[in-house]
């Protein structure tokens, strides 16, 4: 059963009387018990897309439009863009839980961990009779030892891994049906990273909640994600089953990302890189936004390059459930040659 449907999401940033397109025509969906990973370089629009789902962007500086953003909760289906302020207060931290990038910045330094978790419980869990006891259970569920004592701690008294677990506990406090995790392992050592990711995976499958996982780490995608969306310059350029895309990708950008991943036993002295950088919103190409950096269309000649630079490629279904936005998707033979 589908939990979230996003159709043709567009986000413009307003600055000095001008509007700059940051995200354009993004569509995806996620079901219960499913993990959708969104990957791409920094500046591709991943985080701003996740914030738009809960209407967390400042409406004074960000203009959000979409055909719809439908959240199919257990009680009713809600169009987020049409939701009232009261409905949004119930959705944010309740139906939708957020795990933000920097736990130290997301936690309030002047309140104890317990106070912050209990605040969320009071707002979203009217069924709870003993908030203190429920807060202890939440900390125990995310693997924090001596949970009763930790409730009295302030964020600065905890390690980075502990802080991230507190953020997850706070996100779970409202009993969410959708969990949005924006690079939840940033700045954590590899051991703690593995523990946090295993925890997110376990919570997804045991509680049957949907998870949107934003990450740069394709190893995480291979290990945890059910579905994958590859994002570039505000567009989703390829999406579908994660394992299928990892092994049968057809977009040149996806190929470049995968080629840059180091592998055990790889004897290359230097990893391949993508020349240039992600263009700023005011400098997007009129056609395919990857055309300036794409070796594929350049190799095909002037006509192909002209097409890519001037025409927007449609999103085509390459195979059942596998979508790609490219005029010249890679064939299996081309992938093998690379």
């Amino acid at each position: 059963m589908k939990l979230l449907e996003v159709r043709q999401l567009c986000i413009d940033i307003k600055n000095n009387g001008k509007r700059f397109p940051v995200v354009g025509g993004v569509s995806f969906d996620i079901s219960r018990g499913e993990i959708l990973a969104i990957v791409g370089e920094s500046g591709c629009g991943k985080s701003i897309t996740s914030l738009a789902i809960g209407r967390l962007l400042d409406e004074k500086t960000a203009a959000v439009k979409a055909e719809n953003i439908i959240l199919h909760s257990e009680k009713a289906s809600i169009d987020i863009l049409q939701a009232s302020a009261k409905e949004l207060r119930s959705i944010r931290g309740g139906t939708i839980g957020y795990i933000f990038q920097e736990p130290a910045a997301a936690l309030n330094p002047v309140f104890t961990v317990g106070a912050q978790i209990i605040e969320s419980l009071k707002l979203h869990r009217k069924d709870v009779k003993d908030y203190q006891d429920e807060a202890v259970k939440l900390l125990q569920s995310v693997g924090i030892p001596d949970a009763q004592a930790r409730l009295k701690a302030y964020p600065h008294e905890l390690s980075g891994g502990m802080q991230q677990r507190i953020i997850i506990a706070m996100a779970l406090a409202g009993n969410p049906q959708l969990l949005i995790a924006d690079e939840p392992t940033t700045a954590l050592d590899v051991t703690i990273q593995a523990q946090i990711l295993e925890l997110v995976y376990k919570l997804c499958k045991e509680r049957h909640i949907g998870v949107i996982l934003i990450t740069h780490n394709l190893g995480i995608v291979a290990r945890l994600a059910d579905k994958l969306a590859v994002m570039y310059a505000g567009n989703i350029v390829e999406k579908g089953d994660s394992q299928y895309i990892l092994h049968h990708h057809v977009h040149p950008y996806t190929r470049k990302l995968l080629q840059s991943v180091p592998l055990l036993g790889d004897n290359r002295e230097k990893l391949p890189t993508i020349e240039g950088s992600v263009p700023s919103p005011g400098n997007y190409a009129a056609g395919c936004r990857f055309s300036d950096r794409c070796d594929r269309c350049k190799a095909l000649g002037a006509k192909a390059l002209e097409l890519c630079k001037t025409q927007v490629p449609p999103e085509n279904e390459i195979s059942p459930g596998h979508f790609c936005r490219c005029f010249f998707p890679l064939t299996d033979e081309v992938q093998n040659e690379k």
Side-chain angles (χ1 to χ4, degrees):
M1 179 180 176
K2 288 184 180 179
L3 174 62
L4 177 72
E5 296 179 72
V6 177
R7 294 291 176 267
Q8 295 301 313
L9 172 64
C10 298
I11 306 172
D12 291 353
I13 295 298
K14 296 177 276 188
N15 186 29
N16 294 327
K18 297 181 179 179
R19 290 165 69 107
F20 298 94
V22 178
V23 173
V26 164
S27 299
F28 60 86
D29 55 58
I30 183 171
S31 300
R32 299 179 188 278
E34 188 173 69
I35 298 178
L36 165 67
I38 302 178
V39 303
E41 295 169 274
S42 295
C44 283
K46 305 183 299 297
S47 295
I48 199 170
T49 296
S50 71
L51 293 173
I53 291 171
R55 276 176 59 185
L56 290 172
L57 298 172
D58 186 351
E59 295 183 0
K60 294 180 181 179
T61 57
V64 179
K65 292 183 179 181
E67 287 183 6
N68 54 58
I69 302 176
I70 304 293
L71 180 65
H72 300 285
S73 68
E74 293 176 350
K75 297 180 180 178
S77 295
I78 303 169
D79 189 337
I80 300 293
L81 294 180
Q82 304 301 323
S84 64
K86 182 179 180 180
E87 288 175 319
L88 288 173
R89 284 195 295 272
S90 175
I91 291 168
R92 297 165 178 161
T95 312
I96 301 177
Y98 276 88
I99 303 173
F100 296 104
Q101 274 192 50
E102 297 289 346
L107 291 168
N108 193 320
V110 300
F111 290 100
T112 64
V113 164
Q116 295 181 64
I117 295 175
I118 288 171
E119 179 185 25
S120 184
L121 288 170
K122 288 180 177 179
L123 287 171
H124 301 289
R125 296 283 301 280
K126 304 302 181 185
D127 60 308
V128 175
K129 296 180 179 179
D130 188 333
Y131 294 121
Q132 186 89 3
D133 182 61
E134 185 65 21
V136 170
K137 291 179 180 178
L138 281 166
L139 292 188
Q140 291 173 339
S141 73
V142 297
I144 290 185
D146 197 7
Q148 186 71 51
R150 297 297 182 187
L151 288 179
K152 301 176 183 178
Y154 287 88
H156 71 273
E157 298 177 305
L158 304 173
S159 66
M162 284 284 192
Q163 289 177 354
Q164 192 63 279
R165 289 173 188 269
I166 297 297
I167 289 293
I168 296 174
M170 290 176 64
L172 295 174
N175 210 9
Q177 296 169 48
L178 175 65
L179 191 63
I180 299 177
D182 189 355
E183 298 187 39
T185 57
T186 298
L188 300 180
D189 65 66
V190 290
T191 303
I192 301 301
Q193 281 185 28
Q195 293 174 2
I196 294 296
L197 291 169
E198 286 296 330
L199 176 59
V200 171
Y201 182 83
K202 180 181 177 182
L203 292 169
C204 170
K205 302 306 178 182
E206 288 185 354
R207 299 194 178 202
H208 206 55
I209 62 178
V211 176
I212 297 177
L213 176 64
I214 296 171
T215 181
H216 292 284
N217 192 327
L218 289 167
I220 291 173
V221 174
R223 185 178 178 186
L224 300 181
D226 300 296
K227 291 163 65 173
L228 171 61
V230 181
M231 202 163 185
Y232 182 80
N235 288 154
I236 290 180
V237 296
E238 190 165 6
K239 65 183 178 183
D241 177 83
S242 63
Q243 292 301 319
Y244 190 86
I245 289 178
L246 290 173
H247 296 95
H248 303 283
H249 49 278
V250 294
H251 197 282
Y253 180 62
T254 308
R255 182 190 66 185
K256 284 291 189 180
L257 287 180
L258 289 168
Q259 285 180 338
S260 68
V261 177
L263 301 172
L264 288 174
D266 192 339
N267 295 321
R268 290 176 296 179
E269 293 184 3
K270 292 184 179 181
L271 290 172
T273 59
I274 309 175
E275 292 185 8
S277 58
V278 180
S280 60
N283 295 314
Y284 288 157
C288 174
R289 296 177 179 179
F290 186 57
S291 59
D292 288 338
R293 306 173 70 193
C294 182
D295 294 339
R296 171 76 166 149
C297 69
K298 292 175 183 177
L300 291 174
K303 288 185 178 180
L305 187 58
E306 179 67 17
L307 174 65
C308 291
K309 283 184 173 293
T310 58
Q311 302 295 320
V312 177
E315 184 179 77
N316 294 316
E317 189 169 15
I318 305 299
S319 60
H322 179 197
F323 297 85
C324 176
R325 188 183 292 273
C326 182
F327 285 118
F328 305 105
L330 297 161
T331 63
D332 290 337
E333 290 77 16
V334 171
Q335 290 189 60
N336 290 334
E337 287 174 7
K338 298 296 179 180

